[in-house]
Every structure is written in structure tokens, then in C-alpha cells.
PDB file of all heavy atoms in Angstrom:
ATOM      1  N   LYS A   1     159.893 -59.286 -21.209  1.00  0.00           N
ATOM      2  CA  LYS A   1     160.714 -58.734 -20.109  1.00  0.00           C
ATOM      3  C   LYS A   1     160.553 -59.665 -18.924  1.00  0.00           C
ATOM      4  O   LYS A   1     161.560 -59.994 -18.154  1.00  0.00           O
ATOM      5  CB  LYS A   1     160.142 -57.357 -19.774  1.00  0.00           C
ATOM      6  CG  LYS A   1     160.931 -56.628 -18.696  1.00  0.00           C
ATOM      7  CD  LYS A   1     160.406 -55.233 -18.407  1.00  0.00           C
ATOM      8  CE  LYS A   1     161.163 -54.536 -17.251  1.00  0.00           C
ATOM      9  NZ  LYS A   1     160.597 -53.198 -17.000  1.00  0.00           N
ATOM     10  N   LEU A   2     159.301 -60.222 -18.552  1.00  0.00           N
ATOM     11  CA  LEU A   2     159.194 -60.986 -17.464  1.00  0.00           C
ATOM     12  C   LEU A   2     159.825 -62.390 -17.605  1.00  0.00           C
ATOM     13  O   LEU A   2     160.458 -62.927 -16.596  1.00  0.00           O
ATOM     14  CB  LEU A   2     157.607 -61.138 -17.228  1.00  0.00           C
ATOM     15  CG  LEU A   2     156.886 -60.020 -16.574  1.00  0.00           C
ATOM     16  CD1 LEU A   2     155.338 -60.169 -16.745  1.00  0.00           C
ATOM     17  CD2 LEU A   2     157.270 -59.850 -15.096  1.00  0.00           C
ATOM     18  N   ALA A   3     159.752 -62.860 -18.848  1.00  0.00           N
ATOM     19  CA  ALA A   3     160.376 -64.199 -19.093  1.00  0.00           C
ATOM     20  C   ALA A   3     161.873 -64.113 -18.953  1.00  0.00           C
ATOM     21  O   ALA A   3     162.549 -65.092 -18.505  1.00  0.00           O
ATOM     22  CB  ALA A   3     160.010 -64.690 -20.431  1.00  0.00           C
ATOM     23  N   ARG A   4     162.475 -62.944 -19.218  1.00  0.00           N
ATOM     24  CA  ARG A   4     163.887 -62.764 -19.077  1.00  0.00           C
ATOM     25  C   ARG A   4     164.262 -62.614 -17.536  1.00  0.00           C
ATOM     26  O   ARG A   4     165.265 -63.089 -17.060  1.00  0.00           O
ATOM     27  CB  ARG A   4     164.453 -61.456 -19.852  1.00  0.00           C
ATOM     28  CG  ARG A   4     164.562 -61.796 -21.291  1.00  0.00           C
ATOM     29  CD  ARG A   4     165.551 -60.663 -21.924  1.00  0.00           C
ATOM     30  NE  ARG A   4     165.111 -59.310 -21.460  1.00  0.00           N
ATOM     31  CZ  ARG A   4     164.423 -58.522 -22.158  1.00  0.00           C
ATOM     32  NH1 ARG A   4     163.896 -58.889 -23.364  1.00  0.00           N
ATOM     33  NH2 ARG A   4     164.069 -57.311 -21.729  1.00  0.00           N
ATOM     34  N   GLU A   5     163.493 -61.807 -16.863  1.00  0.00           N
ATOM     35  CA  GLU A   5     163.736 -61.529 -15.531  1.00  0.00           C
ATOM     36  C   GLU A   5     163.501 -62.762 -14.564  1.00  0.00           C
ATOM     37  O   GLU A   5     164.291 -62.901 -13.658  1.00  0.00           O
ATOM     38  CB  GLU A   5     162.884 -60.301 -15.010  1.00  0.00           C
ATOM     39  CG  GLU A   5     163.059 -59.930 -13.515  1.00  0.00           C
ATOM     40  CD  GLU A   5     164.397 -59.233 -13.328  1.00  0.00           C
ATOM     41  OE1 GLU A   5     164.971 -58.645 -14.281  1.00  0.00           O
ATOM     42  OE2 GLU A   5     164.814 -59.139 -12.224  1.00  0.00           O
ATOM     43  N   PHE A   6     162.485 -63.469 -14.868  1.00  0.00           N
ATOM     44  CA  PHE A   6     162.165 -64.676 -14.076  1.00  0.00           C
ATOM     45  C   PHE A   6     162.529 -65.925 -14.948  1.00  0.00           C
ATOM     46  O   PHE A   6     163.595 -66.046 -15.385  1.00  0.00           O
ATOM     47  CB  PHE A   6     160.791 -64.608 -13.686  1.00  0.00           C
ATOM     48  CG  PHE A   6     160.469 -63.446 -12.699  1.00  0.00           C
ATOM     49  CD1 PHE A   6     159.952 -62.309 -13.130  1.00  0.00           C
ATOM     50  CD2 PHE A   6     160.693 -63.537 -11.311  1.00  0.00           C
ATOM     51  CE1 PHE A   6     159.782 -61.143 -12.289  1.00  0.00           C
ATOM     52  CE2 PHE A   6     160.540 -62.491 -10.465  1.00  0.00           C
ATOM     53  CZ  PHE A   6     160.078 -61.327 -10.903  1.00  0.00           C
ATOM     54  N   LYS A   7     161.534 -66.816 -15.094  1.00  0.00           N
ATOM     55  CA  LYS A   7     161.756 -67.873 -16.062  1.00  0.00           C
ATOM     56  C   LYS A   7     160.472 -68.037 -16.928  1.00  0.00           C
ATOM     57  O   LYS A   7     159.377 -67.720 -16.471  1.00  0.00           O
ATOM     58  CB  LYS A   7     161.933 -69.204 -15.178  1.00  0.00           C
ATOM     59  CG  LYS A   7     163.132 -69.229 -14.383  1.00  0.00           C
ATOM     60  CD  LYS A   7     163.218 -70.618 -13.545  1.00  0.00           C
ATOM     61  CE  LYS A   7     164.455 -70.598 -12.630  1.00  0.00           C
ATOM     62  NZ  LYS A   7     164.411 -71.843 -11.840  1.00  0.00           N
ATOM     63  N   PRO A   8     160.556 -68.637 -18.079  1.00  0.00           N
ATOM     64  CA  PRO A   8     159.468 -68.808 -18.997  1.00  0.00           C
ATOM     65  C   PRO A   8     158.316 -69.513 -18.269  1.00  0.00           C
ATOM     66  O   PRO A   8     157.208 -69.201 -18.509  1.00  0.00           O
ATOM     67  CB  PRO A   8     159.984 -69.553 -20.139  1.00  0.00           C
ATOM     68  CG  PRO A   8     161.490 -69.125 -20.277  1.00  0.00           C
ATOM     69  CD  PRO A   8     161.921 -68.976 -18.841  1.00  0.00           C
ATOM     70  N   GLU A   9     158.732 -70.510 -17.512  1.00  0.00           N
ATOM     71  CA  GLU A   9     157.686 -71.341 -16.864  1.00  0.00           C
ATOM     72  C   GLU A   9     156.899 -70.535 -15.750  1.00  0.00           C
ATOM     73  O   GLU A   9     155.823 -71.016 -15.366  1.00  0.00           O
ATOM     74  CB  GLU A   9     158.296 -72.646 -16.196  1.00  0.00           C
ATOM     75  CG  GLU A   9     159.382 -72.366 -15.166  1.00  0.00           C
ATOM     76  CD  GLU A   9     160.762 -72.576 -15.945  1.00  0.00           C
ATOM     77  OE1 GLU A   9     160.920 -72.263 -17.133  1.00  0.00           O
ATOM     78  OE2 GLU A   9     161.635 -73.166 -15.203  1.00  0.00           O
ATOM     79  N   ASN A  10     157.404 -69.418 -15.378  1.00  0.00           N
ATOM     80  CA  ASN A  10     156.673 -68.510 -14.366  1.00  0.00           C
ATOM     81  C   ASN A  10     155.558 -67.646 -15.199  1.00  0.00           C
ATOM     82  O   ASN A  10     154.845 -67.007 -14.488  1.00  0.00           O
ATOM     83  CB  ASN A  10     157.643 -67.615 -13.697  1.00  0.00           C
ATOM     84  CG  ASN A  10     158.596 -68.328 -12.848  1.00  0.00           C
ATOM     85  OD1 ASN A  10     159.776 -68.068 -12.892  1.00  0.00           O
ATOM     86  ND2 ASN A  10     158.154 -69.296 -12.021  1.00  0.00           N
ATOM     87  N   ILE A  11     155.670 -67.602 -16.446  1.00  0.00           N
ATOM     88  CA  ILE A  11     154.836 -66.669 -17.258  1.00  0.00           C
ATOM     89  C   ILE A  11     153.846 -67.453 -18.076  1.00  0.00           C
ATOM     90  O   ILE A  11     154.194 -68.218 -18.990  1.00  0.00           O
ATOM     91  CB  ILE A  11     155.677 -65.783 -18.092  1.00  0.00           C
ATOM     92  CG1 ILE A  11     156.896 -65.241 -17.374  1.00  0.00           C
ATOM     93  CG2 ILE A  11     154.842 -64.713 -18.805  1.00  0.00           C
ATOM     94  CD1 ILE A  11     156.492 -64.369 -16.103  1.00  0.00           C
ATOM     95  N   ASN A  12     152.547 -67.222 -17.765  1.00  0.00           N
ATOM     96  CA  ASN A  12     151.409 -67.805 -18.564  1.00  0.00           C
ATOM     97  C   ASN A  12     150.654 -66.673 -19.215  1.00  0.00           C
ATOM     98  O   ASN A  12     150.416 -65.631 -18.570  1.00  0.00           O
ATOM     99  CB  ASN A  12     150.537 -68.743 -17.603  1.00  0.00           C
ATOM    100  CG  ASN A  12     149.330 -69.206 -18.355  1.00  0.00           C
ATOM    101  OD1 ASN A  12     148.342 -68.465 -18.582  1.00  0.00           O
ATOM    102  ND2 ASN A  12     149.322 -70.503 -18.658  1.00  0.00           N
ATOM    103  N   VAL A  13     150.224 -66.886 -20.458  1.00  0.00           N
ATOM    104  CA  VAL A  13     149.401 -65.915 -21.068  1.00  0.00           C
ATOM    105  C   VAL A  13     148.047 -66.465 -21.346  1.00  0.00           C
ATOM    106  O   VAL A  13     147.954 -67.615 -21.903  1.00  0.00           O
ATOM    107  CB  VAL A  13     150.051 -65.416 -22.379  1.00  0.00           C
ATOM    108  CG1 VAL A  13     149.058 -64.492 -23.116  1.00  0.00           C
ATOM    109  CG2 VAL A  13     151.272 -64.705 -22.252  1.00  0.00           C
ATOM    110  N   ALA A  14     146.974 -65.881 -20.851  1.00  0.00           N
ATOM    111  CA  ALA A  14     145.595 -66.328 -21.054  1.00  0.00           C
ATOM    112  C   ALA A  14     145.136 -65.804 -22.362  1.00  0.00           C
ATOM    113  O   ALA A  14     145.061 -64.647 -22.621  1.00  0.00           O
ATOM    114  CB  ALA A  14     144.744 -65.824 -19.880  1.00  0.00           C
ATOM    115  N   LEU A  15     144.653 -66.695 -23.113  1.00  0.00           N
ATOM    116  CA  LEU A  15     143.981 -66.391 -24.398  1.00  0.00           C
ATOM    117  C   LEU A  15     142.469 -66.855 -24.319  1.00  0.00           C
ATOM    118  O   LEU A  15     142.294 -68.006 -24.369  1.00  0.00           O
ATOM    119  CB  LEU A  15     144.683 -67.074 -25.591  1.00  0.00           C
ATOM    120  CG  LEU A  15     146.118 -66.769 -25.769  1.00  0.00           C
ATOM    121  CD1 LEU A  15     146.741 -67.473 -26.943  1.00  0.00           C
ATOM    122  CD2 LEU A  15     146.281 -65.149 -26.051  1.00  0.00           C
ATOM    123  N   ASP A  16     141.650 -65.873 -24.148  1.00  0.00           N
ATOM    124  CA  ASP A  16     140.175 -66.173 -23.844  1.00  0.00           C
ATOM    125  C   ASP A  16     139.491 -65.856 -25.191  1.00  0.00           C
ATOM    126  O   ASP A  16     139.370 -64.670 -25.566  1.00  0.00           O
ATOM    127  CB  ASP A  16     139.711 -65.286 -22.725  1.00  0.00           C
ATOM    128  CG  ASP A  16     140.500 -65.444 -21.483  1.00  0.00           C
ATOM    129  OD1 ASP A  16     141.036 -66.598 -21.327  1.00  0.00           O
ATOM    130  OD2 ASP A  16     140.675 -64.429 -20.745  1.00  0.00           O
ATOM    131  N   SER A  17     138.869 -66.861 -25.760  1.00  0.00           N
ATOM    132  CA  SER A  17     138.379 -66.804 -27.133  1.00  0.00           C
ATOM    133  C   SER A  17     136.795 -66.801 -27.149  1.00  0.00           C
ATOM    134  O   SER A  17     136.303 -67.633 -26.546  1.00  0.00           O
ATOM    135  CB  SER A  17     138.963 -67.958 -28.001  1.00  0.00           C
ATOM    136  OG  SER A  17     138.373 -67.804 -29.330  1.00  0.00           O
ATOM    137  N   LYS A  18     136.318 -65.844 -27.946  1.00  0.00           N
ATOM    138  CA  LYS A  18     134.857 -65.757 -28.083  1.00  0.00           C
ATOM    139  C   LYS A  18     134.597 -65.505 -29.540  1.00  0.00           C
ATOM    140  O   LYS A  18     135.124 -64.644 -30.192  1.00  0.00           O
ATOM    141  CB  LYS A  18     134.219 -64.646 -27.291  1.00  0.00           C
ATOM    142  CG  LYS A  18     132.744 -64.484 -27.335  1.00  0.00           C
ATOM    143  CD  LYS A  18     132.184 -63.489 -26.459  1.00  0.00           C
ATOM    144  CE  LYS A  18     130.676 -63.562 -26.412  1.00  0.00           C
ATOM    145  NZ  LYS A  18     130.064 -62.475 -25.462  1.00  0.00           N
ATOM    146  N   ASN A  19     133.846 -66.435 -30.176  1.00  0.00           N
ATOM    147  CA  ASN A  19     133.492 -66.324 -31.616  1.00  0.00           C
ATOM    148  C   ASN A  19     134.793 -66.275 -32.475  1.00  0.00           C
ATOM    149  O   ASN A  19     134.857 -65.600 -33.486  1.00  0.00           O
ATOM    150  CB  ASN A  19     132.627 -65.112 -31.946  1.00  0.00           C
ATOM    151  CG  ASN A  19     131.297 -65.114 -31.285  1.00  0.00           C
ATOM    152  OD1 ASN A  19     130.756 -66.181 -31.157  1.00  0.00           O
ATOM    153  ND2 ASN A  19     130.826 -64.020 -30.824  1.00  0.00           N
ATOM    154  N   GLY A  20     135.785 -66.936 -31.998  1.00  0.00           N
ATOM    155  CA  GLY A  20     137.033 -67.128 -32.748  1.00  0.00           C
ATOM    156  C   GLY A  20     138.058 -66.020 -32.541  1.00  0.00           C
ATOM    157  O   GLY A  20     139.165 -66.049 -33.100  1.00  0.00           O
ATOM    158  N   LYS A  21     137.745 -64.994 -31.672  1.00  0.00           N
ATOM    159  CA  LYS A  21     138.709 -63.938 -31.448  1.00  0.00           C
ATOM    160  C   LYS A  21     138.948 -63.806 -29.971  1.00  0.00           C
ATOM    161  O   LYS A  21     138.116 -64.139 -29.095  1.00  0.00           O
ATOM    162  CB  LYS A  21     138.061 -62.659 -31.916  1.00  0.00           C
ATOM    163  CG  LYS A  21     137.736 -62.451 -33.407  1.00  0.00           C
ATOM    164  CD  LYS A  21     138.967 -62.585 -34.348  1.00  0.00           C
ATOM    165  CE  LYS A  21     138.626 -62.488 -35.810  1.00  0.00           C
ATOM    166  NZ  LYS A  21     139.803 -62.483 -36.679  1.00  0.00           N
ATOM    167  N   VAL A  22     140.173 -63.288 -29.674  1.00  0.00           N
ATOM    168  CA  VAL A  22     140.623 -63.217 -28.247  1.00  0.00           C
ATOM    169  C   VAL A  22     140.025 -61.997 -27.554  1.00  0.00           C
ATOM    170  O   VAL A  22     140.088 -60.905 -28.175  1.00  0.00           O
ATOM    171  CB  VAL A  22     142.116 -63.147 -28.157  1.00  0.00           C
ATOM    172  CG1 VAL A  22     142.526 -62.825 -26.687  1.00  0.00           C
ATOM    173  CG2 VAL A  22     142.714 -64.490 -28.564  1.00  0.00           C
ATOM    174  N   SER A  23     139.363 -62.191 -26.427  1.00  0.00           N
ATOM    175  CA  SER A  23     138.813 -61.066 -25.660  1.00  0.00           C
ATOM    176  C   SER A  23     139.747 -60.675 -24.500  1.00  0.00           C
ATOM    177  O   SER A  23     140.579 -61.414 -24.008  1.00  0.00           O
ATOM    178  CB  SER A  23     137.487 -61.527 -25.062  1.00  0.00           C
ATOM    179  OG  SER A  23     136.537 -61.772 -26.086  1.00  0.00           O
ATOM    180  N   THR A  24     139.609 -59.358 -24.086  1.00  0.00           N
ATOM    181  CA  THR A  24     140.348 -58.828 -22.979  1.00  0.00           C
ATOM    182  C   THR A  24     139.543 -58.007 -21.981  1.00  0.00           C
ATOM    183  O   THR A  24     138.290 -57.992 -22.229  1.00  0.00           O
ATOM    184  CB  THR A  24     141.507 -57.861 -23.548  1.00  0.00           C
ATOM    185  OG1 THR A  24     140.841 -56.769 -24.257  1.00  0.00           O
ATOM    186  CG2 THR A  24     142.420 -58.594 -24.510  1.00  0.00           C
ATOM    187  N   LYS A  25     140.121 -57.535 -20.930  1.00  0.00           N
ATOM    188  CA  LYS A  25     139.497 -56.674 -20.012  1.00  0.00           C
ATOM    189  C   LYS A  25     138.286 -57.375 -19.379  1.00  0.00           C
ATOM    190  O   LYS A  25     137.187 -56.979 -19.386  1.00  0.00           O
ATOM    191  CB  LYS A  25     139.114 -55.291 -20.560  1.00  0.00           C
ATOM    192  CG  LYS A  25     140.227 -54.450 -20.895  1.00  0.00           C
ATOM    193  CD  LYS A  25     139.869 -53.021 -21.276  1.00  0.00           C
ATOM    194  CE  LYS A  25     141.172 -52.206 -21.638  1.00  0.00           C
ATOM    195  NZ  LYS A  25     140.755 -50.848 -22.025  1.00  0.00           N
ATOM    196  N   GLY A  26     138.622 -58.644 -18.845  1.00  0.00           N
ATOM    197  CA  GLY A  26     137.506 -59.433 -18.219  1.00  0.00           C
ATOM    198  C   GLY A  26     136.519 -59.803 -19.195  1.00  0.00           C
ATOM    199  O   GLY A  26     135.239 -59.945 -18.879  1.00  0.00           O
ATOM    200  N   TRP A  27     136.915 -60.067 -20.429  1.00  0.00           N
ATOM    201  CA  TRP A  27     136.054 -60.509 -21.523  1.00  0.00           C
ATOM    202  C   TRP A  27     135.061 -59.433 -21.903  1.00  0.00           C
ATOM    203  O   TRP A  27     133.968 -59.791 -22.643  1.00  0.00           O
ATOM    204  CB  TRP A  27     135.298 -61.784 -21.107  1.00  0.00           C
ATOM    205  CG  TRP A  27     136.158 -62.890 -20.695  1.00  0.00           C
ATOM    206  CD1 TRP A  27     137.533 -62.989 -20.811  1.00  0.00           C
ATOM    207  CD2 TRP A  27     135.796 -64.217 -20.150  1.00  0.00           C
ATOM    208  NE1 TRP A  27     138.081 -64.230 -20.343  1.00  0.00           N
ATOM    209  CE2 TRP A  27     136.998 -64.953 -19.942  1.00  0.00           C
ATOM    210  CE3 TRP A  27     134.559 -64.739 -19.833  1.00  0.00           C
ATOM    211  CZ2 TRP A  27     136.886 -66.219 -19.415  1.00  0.00           C
ATOM    212  CZ3 TRP A  27     134.540 -66.025 -19.246  1.00  0.00           C
ATOM    213  CH2 TRP A  27     135.714 -66.787 -19.129  1.00  0.00           C
ATOM    214  N   THR A  28     135.238 -58.176 -21.682  1.00  0.00           N
ATOM    215  CA  THR A  28     134.423 -57.157 -22.094  1.00  0.00           C
ATOM    216  C   THR A  28     134.715 -56.543 -23.417  1.00  0.00           C
ATOM    217  O   THR A  28     133.899 -55.786 -23.887  1.00  0.00           O
ATOM    218  CB  THR A  28     134.311 -55.991 -20.968  1.00  0.00           C
ATOM    219  OG1 THR A  28     135.612 -55.489 -20.802  1.00  0.00           O
ATOM    220  CG2 THR A  28     133.884 -56.605 -19.618  1.00  0.00           C
ATOM    221  N   GLU A  29     135.947 -56.685 -23.818  1.00  0.00           N
ATOM    222  CA  GLU A  29     136.461 -56.239 -25.113  1.00  0.00           C
ATOM    223  C   GLU A  29     136.961 -57.290 -26.046  1.00  0.00           C
ATOM    224  O   GLU A  29     137.579 -58.136 -25.489  1.00  0.00           O
ATOM    225  CB  GLU A  29     137.412 -55.050 -24.890  1.00  0.00           C
ATOM    226  CG  GLU A  29     136.840 -53.870 -24.286  1.00  0.00           C
ATOM    227  CD  GLU A  29     137.859 -52.657 -24.159  1.00  0.00           C
ATOM    228  OE1 GLU A  29     138.899 -52.729 -24.827  1.00  0.00           O
ATOM    229  OE2 GLU A  29     137.622 -51.769 -23.479  1.00  0.00           O
ATOM    230  N   GLN A  30     136.712 -57.160 -27.352  1.00  0.00           N
ATOM    231  CA  GLN A  30     137.235 -58.175 -28.252  1.00  0.00           C
ATOM    232  C   GLN A  30     138.293 -57.646 -29.135  1.00  0.00           C
ATOM    233  O   GLN A  30     138.225 -56.576 -29.707  1.00  0.00           O
ATOM    234  CB  GLN A  30     136.051 -58.740 -29.087  1.00  0.00           C
ATOM    235  CG  GLN A  30     136.407 -60.053 -29.764  1.00  0.00           C
ATOM    236  CD  GLN A  30     135.156 -60.795 -30.279  1.00  0.00           C
ATOM    237  OE1 GLN A  30     134.092 -60.193 -30.549  1.00  0.00           O
ATOM    238  NE2 GLN A  30     135.169 -62.117 -30.380  1.00  0.00           N
ATOM    239  N   SER A  31     139.338 -58.471 -29.294  1.00  0.00           N
ATOM    240  CA  SER A  31     140.445 -58.061 -30.156  1.00  0.00           C
ATOM    241  C   SER A  31     140.136 -58.539 -31.583  1.00  0.00           C
ATOM    242  O   SER A  31     139.207 -59.202 -31.867  1.00  0.00           O
ATOM    243  CB  SER A  31     141.833 -58.641 -29.625  1.00  0.00           C
ATOM    244  OG  SER A  31     141.878 -60.050 -29.985  1.00  0.00           O
ATOM    245  N   GLU A  32     141.097 -58.212 -32.466  1.00  0.00           N
ATOM    246  CA  GLU A  32     140.862 -58.713 -33.855  1.00  0.00           C
ATOM    247  C   GLU A  32     141.797 -59.927 -34.117  1.00  0.00           C
ATOM    248  O   GLU A  32     141.805 -60.406 -35.235  1.00  0.00           O
ATOM    249  CB  GLU A  32     141.453 -57.561 -34.749  1.00  0.00           C
ATOM    250  CG  GLU A  32     142.858 -57.110 -34.574  1.00  0.00           C
ATOM    251  CD  GLU A  32     143.226 -55.931 -35.501  1.00  0.00           C
ATOM    252  OE1 GLU A  32     143.403 -56.152 -36.620  1.00  0.00           O
ATOM    253  OE2 GLU A  32     143.289 -54.801 -34.820  1.00  0.00           O
ATOM    254  N   TYR A  33     142.336 -60.535 -33.089  1.00  0.00           N
ATOM    255  CA  TYR A  33     143.297 -61.608 -33.307  1.00  0.00           C
ATOM    256  C   TYR A  33     142.770 -62.918 -32.815  1.00  0.00           C
ATOM    257  O   TYR A  33     141.922 -63.002 -31.901  1.00  0.00           O
ATOM    258  CB  TYR A  33     144.636 -61.290 -32.517  1.00  0.00           C
ATOM    259  CG  TYR A  33     145.267 -60.119 -32.954  1.00  0.00           C
ATOM    260  CD1 TYR A  33     145.122 -58.962 -32.052  1.00  0.00           C
ATOM    261  CD2 TYR A  33     145.905 -59.980 -34.058  1.00  0.00           C
ATOM    262  CE1 TYR A  33     145.836 -57.784 -32.358  1.00  0.00           C
ATOM    263  CE2 TYR A  33     146.584 -58.753 -34.384  1.00  0.00           C
ATOM    264  CZ  TYR A  33     146.493 -57.649 -33.549  1.00  0.00           C
ATOM    265  OH  TYR A  33     147.083 -56.456 -33.868  1.00  0.00           O
ATOM    266  N   THR A  34     143.127 -64.058 -33.416  1.00  0.00           N
ATOM    267  CA  THR A  34     142.725 -65.384 -33.043  1.00  0.00           C
ATOM    268  C   THR A  34     143.756 -65.818 -31.970  1.00  0.00           C
ATOM    269  O   THR A  34     144.817 -65.307 -31.865  1.00  0.00           O
ATOM    270  CB  THR A  34     142.822 -66.423 -34.244  1.00  0.00           C
ATOM    271  OG1 THR A  34     144.172 -66.531 -34.635  1.00  0.00           O
ATOM    272  CG2 THR A  34     141.965 -65.798 -35.406  1.00  0.00           C
ATOM    273  N   ALA A  35     143.384 -66.876 -31.341  1.00  0.00           N
ATOM    274  CA  ALA A  35     144.147 -67.540 -30.291  1.00  0.00           C
ATOM    275  C   ALA A  35     145.477 -67.983 -30.862  1.00  0.00           C
ATOM    276  O   ALA A  35     146.577 -67.921 -30.293  1.00  0.00           O
ATOM    277  CB  ALA A  35     143.487 -68.588 -29.490  1.00  0.00           C
ATOM    278  N   VAL A  36     145.440 -68.552 -32.049  1.00  0.00           N
ATOM    279  CA  VAL A  36     146.675 -69.136 -32.715  1.00  0.00           C
ATOM    280  C   VAL A  36     147.615 -68.019 -32.999  1.00  0.00           C
ATOM    281  O   VAL A  36     148.807 -68.081 -32.858  1.00  0.00           O
ATOM    282  CB  VAL A  36     146.277 -69.926 -33.873  1.00  0.00           C
ATOM    283  CG1 VAL A  36     147.584 -70.246 -34.769  1.00  0.00           C
ATOM    284  CG2 VAL A  36     145.592 -71.285 -33.586  1.00  0.00           C
TER     285      VAL A  36
END
């Protein structure tokens, strides 16, 4: 939605990886997904 409303170059996604998995909420929770 943001990329459509603005421009792709305005939108960056942070992928913060710990032990091979992406973390969220200020690195306090870990997802099940890899950065790739």
C-alpha cells in the first residue's frame, strides 16, 4: 500500500536476523522466517 501511494524507494523494510531468523518488536520476539 505504501509503495503504491508513495514510491518504492521511499519504503525500506528492516530484516533483523538472530540465529538465522528475523526478529521483531525491538528484537524481543523471533519469527519463524529467514531474511531471504
Side-chain angles (χ1 to χ4, degrees):
K1 183 179 179 182
L2 284 165
R4 283 200 312 265
E5 180 71 20
F6 296 94
K7 297 178 181 178
E9 54 262 38
N10 297 131
I11 313 304
N12 175 285
V13 176
L15 301 178
D16 307 325
S17 180
K18 185 174 183 179
N19 298 322
K21 302 291 185 178
V22 171
S23 294
T24 60
K25 294 188 178 179
W27 303 351
T28 60
E29 295 185 11
Q30 195 163 26
S31 75
E32 58 185 285
Y33 303 105
T34 67
V36 169

